[in-house]
Amino acid sequence: MSGNFERVVILSGAGISAESGLGTFRDKDGLWTKYDLNDVATPEGFARNKPLVHAFYNARRKGLLKAAPNAAHAAIAQLETQFKGDVLVITQNVDDLHERAGSRNLIHMHGELLRALCALCGESRPWVEDLSEHLSCPSCGKTGYMRPDVVWFGEMPYRMDEIYDRLAACDLFVSIGTSGTVYPAAGFVAEARAHGAQTVELNLEPSEGVTLFQRRHHGPATKIVPEYVSELLDL
Ligand code: APR
């Protein structure tokens, strides 16, 4: 590995949590092969059928509480701790496996499954129980506005200004476990590369944006991420 990096940005997607037992979206048995995302991951779907959307996220929340971080999450947390430069994880995932593995410098651009948002007053808070339309917001007291604090299609991802600042400043951009099909995240590699960063893809198979990466390692995250991190730390 040539050159010493100082500012690393990591983008993670569902593939990094696949070996923890959480489903991906677009693989052969992915979530979007079982549910229509328009029904369960859009504001319109929520307005049409709140019980269906709550059931979808309640099942995913229960699954997450039974899951554990894997060796890939652990390797990234180790990188943040041991790397002499700065490491930021931008995750598309709504699970908390990066946190549970020890990552602290983290942006959940698509929100968090273990938080609930009041659509009326905008208050967000940690939430591990089931959500339903019969709940009142602990802040404003109104009933029927509680929703998972996740970003649905058509909604603005969180902390985008900060994300673009960090992409412009990084000298190494590593994409892990994402198909590179959903924007704005799918455009981050081009953004980083335009500002001179080296770009690396770590994924089970070549993603949609594979040609934009100067280096690619393909295989299961629990194998290729620890290998890559130890290479970075041995610089
Ligand atoms: N190790 C590494 N990569 C894996 C593994 C694994 N064990 N298993 C699957 N992958 C890869 C797949 O090859 C695929 O490229 O992870 C990627 C998962 O792609 P998607 O299912 O599209 O998930 P993601 O890219 O995170 O989706 C982006 O779409 O639906 C929205 O908001 C949702 O954040 C999500 C966004």
Side-chain angles (χ1 to χ4, degrees), residues 180-197:
T181 52
V182 176
Y183 287 80
F188 290 176
V189 56
E191 194 69 24
R193 193 166 172 164
H195 288 88

Side-chain angles (χ1 to χ4, degrees), residues 8-81:
V8 182
V9 168
I10 295 168
L11 171 69
S12 67
I16 199 170
S17 299
E19 290 163 271
S20 294
L22 300 187
T24 61
F25 295 96
R26 295 172 184 82
D27 288 324
K28 63 185 180 325
D29 55 354
L31 280 170
W32 298 151
T33 66
K34 298 177 186 132
Y35 294 88
D36 179 344
L37 65 85
N38 295 295
D39 292 340
V40 294
T42 61
E44 297 77 12
F46 188 56
R48 256 197 320 272
N49 189 339
K50 287 189 170 64
L52 173 71
V53 176
H54 282 310
F56 176 68
Y57 285 97
N58 290 343
R60 289 181 66 194
R61 193 177 301 105
K62 285 195 176 71
L64 173 54
L65 294 172
K66 290 203 288 277
N70 62 51
H73 298 105
I76 290 173
Q78 179 196 13
L79 182 68
E80 179 181 326
T81 310

Side-chain angles (χ1 to χ4, degrees), residues 13-15 18-19 24-27 32 92-93 110 153 177-182 203-205 219-221:
E19 290 163 271
T24 61
F25 295 96
R26 295 172 184 82
D27 288 324
W32 298 151
Q92 301 173 86
N93 300 338
H110 289 164
F153 287 94
T178 181
S179 59
T181 52
V182 176
N203 205 53
L204 186 64
E205 58 205 10

